[in-house]
Amino acid sequence: STQSTWDQSESRKKQEKNAQNKSANMTDRDDEQGPLVRPKTAIGSVGVAGDDESAAGYVDDSKLTVWDMVVALVFHSPMNLFLALLVPLALAADFLNWGLQWTFLFGILAIIPLSVLLGHATEQLALHFGPIVGGLLNATFSNVVELIVAAQALKRQDTRLVQTSLLGSILSNALLCLGCAVVAAGKSCKFNREAASANSNLLALMVFIFVLPVTFSHTMAAESNIEAYVLDISRSFSILGLFIYLLYLAFQLVTHRHLFLEADDEEPVMTTWFATLTLAVLTLIVAVMADYVVEAVEHVANSWGMTPTFIGIILIPLVGNAAEHVTSITMAWRGKIDLGFSVVLGSCSQIAAMVLPVSVLIGWCFNVNMSLSFQVLDAVVIISATALMCNTTRVGSSNWLEGACLVAAYVLCAMTYFFTDDRATRH
């Protein structure tokens, strides 16, 4: 009996020791990997909290004071310092008549920190909702700067500036930003091929839609009503493009959500009403800055020895997408390849399938003849850029040489458009 009691005591000691070792191992694993986090859906340039609808509404807004939210917004990024400087300077340049060059310079530089804050406010608002509503919010506001610039250009009936600025945004993402991200990823990189293919296929389809009106307008140039035909085709194609974009959102947010999941433990630092108010105010400021930029394009082109086409297709997209480009390249540098690529490729597909068709339809509503009939050079450039991008993402892996080739292609485009002057066809 004494021996049996001794054996039971030793057995209990071994069990307790094993339990302690197991607990220690779990603690070490948590220290290395961090605590478990909620999955976050990567939609365009920002993610959406929650893997199901039950994740929505978990935040207690009563714990967030107005002062805390203002401090979090002001100190979100060092770029806010430039925002506090550049926006007043742009307003002063306009009201005090310093000249269109200064208004253009301060206005276009102010768009950089404004785009950073817009993305932050959009993400904060999306964190209060589930993946469906939050994803739609991100998809809508992720390219709001490009849409505002296009709307301001349409207000002045400068349809060519709309075309060049949106085409330039696609080129800067597909060639320059993607190329830099691949190079920053190191010797070689692997990424989610299915997610990349979804964005690449959508962009390829939209490029096909863009090329058809160009081809039609040159094939049927002898027709007396060719411009009316091209407008009808462009508007019909834009409606079809938006329908395809809705299917893409269903693919990304519903049926294949697992391809776009990204882990993150971020908690909202803004309430719903504060994030909405911030978005409204920032959108208004962006609209004012974009109006300054659009108004001064012709004057700046003459003064700086550039063409309006170069400013529209290179300068404006580079500045407007600067924050997004830095984010993508930084993510790739840190090894978060899928997240970095989702920002780049998602932006390309959203501009092509959402912003450009919406611009055509806005022009239709305000009786502005905005069409998808680009210049022949534009068609060749966008086809070539899409082919290079699709070739880079088709197998789910890439290397620094392919990234360098993408960057070189963008430089070639910039050099070509620097000498391209199509002012006679701008309106």
Side-chain angles (χ1 to χ4, degrees):
S1 175
T2 302
Q3 182 66 31
S4 175
T5 302
W6 172 263
D7 292 341
Q8 291 177 0
S9 177
E10 288 297 320
S11 177
R12 284 196 299 270
K13 289 180 180 179
K14 289 181 179 180
Q15 292 177 358
E16 291 175 357
K17 186 176 182 180
N18 290 335
Q20 291 175 356
N21 292 335
K22 184 176 180 180
S23 176
N25 291 335
M26 291 296 293
T27 302
D28 292 340
R29 189 179 301 114
D30 287 341
D31 291 339
E32 294 175 0
Q33 298 179 355
L36 294 178
V37 296
R38 295 174 289 106
K40 185 175 79 170
T41 307
I43 306 297
S45 59
V46 287
V48 181
D51 191 28
D52 52 48
E53 294 298 337
S54 63
Y58 72 96
V59 181
D60 185 4
D61 285 355
S62 62
K63 296 181 180 179
L64 298 173
T65 66
V66 175
W67 174 253
D68 291 337
M69 291 185 289
V70 171
V71 170
L73 179 65
V74 171
F75 293 99
H76 167 67
S77 170
M79 296 296 294
N80 290 350
L81 177 62
F82 296 98
L83 177 63
L85 179 66
L86 292 170
V87 171
L89 285 175
L91 295 173
D94 178 58
F95 286 108
L96 300 179
N97 296 320
W98 291 356
L100 291 177
Q101 296 182 55
W102 291 108
T103 304
F104 176 89
L105 180 62
F106 294 139
I108 198 170
L109 290 179
I111 290 177
I112 299 177
L114 283 169
S115 64
V116 175
L117 279 184
L118 273 171
H120 176 59
T122 303
E123 183 179 4
Q124 290 299 311
L125 183 61
L127 287 173
H128 289 273
F129 298 94
I132 304 300
V133 177
L136 291 174
L137 285 171
N138 282 318
T140 303
F141 285 97
S142 59
N143 295 106
V144 68
V145 173
E146 289 86 351
L147 188 58
I148 291 175
V149 171
Q152 294 290 2
L154 285 173
K155 186 179 72 172
R156 298 179 179 276
Q157 299 191 358
D158 193 347
T159 58
R160 181 57 182 161
L161 182 59
V162 178
Q163 292 180 339
T164 55
S165 63
L166 296 181
L167 176 62
S169 294
I170 297 174
L171 292 178
S172 65
N173 280 288
L175 296 179
L176 179 63
C177 187
L178 181 60
C180 290
V182 172
V183 172
K187 184 177 178 180
S188 62
C189 62
K190 295 184 180 296
F191 48 88
N192 190 327
R193 184 175 62 86
E194 291 185 73
S197 296
N199 286 293
S200 299
N201 289 337
L202 179 61
L203 179 60
L205 173 63
M206 295 310 300
V207 168
F208 180 66
I209 289 178
F210 300 158
V211 170
L212 287 179
V214 179
T215 307
F216 177 83
S217 64
H218 284 78
T219 303
M220 307 294 292
E223 291 287 337
S224 58
N225 295 326
I226 184 62
E227 292 186 3
Y229 293 152
V230 170
L231 274 177
D232 291 340
I233 291 176
S234 298
R235 291 162 179 172
S236 301
F237 285 5
S238 295
I239 295 174
L240 176 61
L242 286 176
F243 175 73
I244 298 298
Y245 180 68
L246 293 178
L247 296 181
Y248 166 77
L249 289 180
F251 177 88
Q252 190 178 42
L253 300 174
V254 183
T255 64
H256 289 70
R257 194 193 317 174
H258 63 282
L259 297 178
F260 303 91
L261 290 179
E262 194 69 36
D264 190 21
D265 57 353
E266 182 179 1
E267 298 291 340
V269 294
M270 296 183 188
T271 61
T272 304
W273 71 265
F274 189 84
T276 304
L277 178 62
T278 302
L279 272 178
V281 173
L282 291 175
T283 301
L284 179 62
I285 298 175
V286 170
V288 175
M289 298 299 107
D291 186 57
Y292 290 163
V293 171
V294 171
E295 179 187 14
V297 164
E298 290 281 353
H299 178 80
V300 170
N302 295 327
S303 301
W304 293 2
M306 301 177 181
T307 64
T309 302
F310 179 82
I311 293 177
I313 211 164
I314 301 297
L315 192 57
I316 293 178
L318 277 181
V319 174
N321 296 319
E324 193 173 78
H325 290 178
V326 172
T327 299
S328 303
I329 297 169
T330 303
M331 290 296 178
W333 176 266
R334 294 176 178 174
K336 299 180 179 180
I337 309 299
D338 286 331
L339 182 57
F341 279 26
S342 71
V343 174
V344 180
L345 301 178
S347 182
C348 285
S349 58
Q350 287 168 6
I351 292 171
M354 190 264 286
V355 179
L356 191 49
V358 167
S359 300
V360 173
L361 297 181
I362 291 176
W364 189 8
C365 293
F366 292 96
N367 199 28
V368 178
N369 294 336
M370 172 67 193
S371 74
L372 297 176
S373 182
F374 290 79
Q375 303 294 317
V376 175
L377 176 61
D378 301 338
V380 173
V381 166
I382 193 62
I383 291 173
S384 303
T386 303
L388 283 172
M389 187 198 76
C390 291
N391 183 67
T392 302
T393 59
R394 64 187 175 86
V395 295
S397 63
S398 187
N399 55 68
W400 66 268
L401 180 59
E402 291 183 339
C405 290
L406 291 174
V407 176
Y410 184 80
V411 174
L412 290 173
C413 293
M415 294 172 63
T416 302
Y417 279 107
F418 184 80
F419 299 101
T420 302
D421 192 356
D422 54 3
R423 303 184 197 203
T425 59
R426 285 186 62 79
H427 298 280

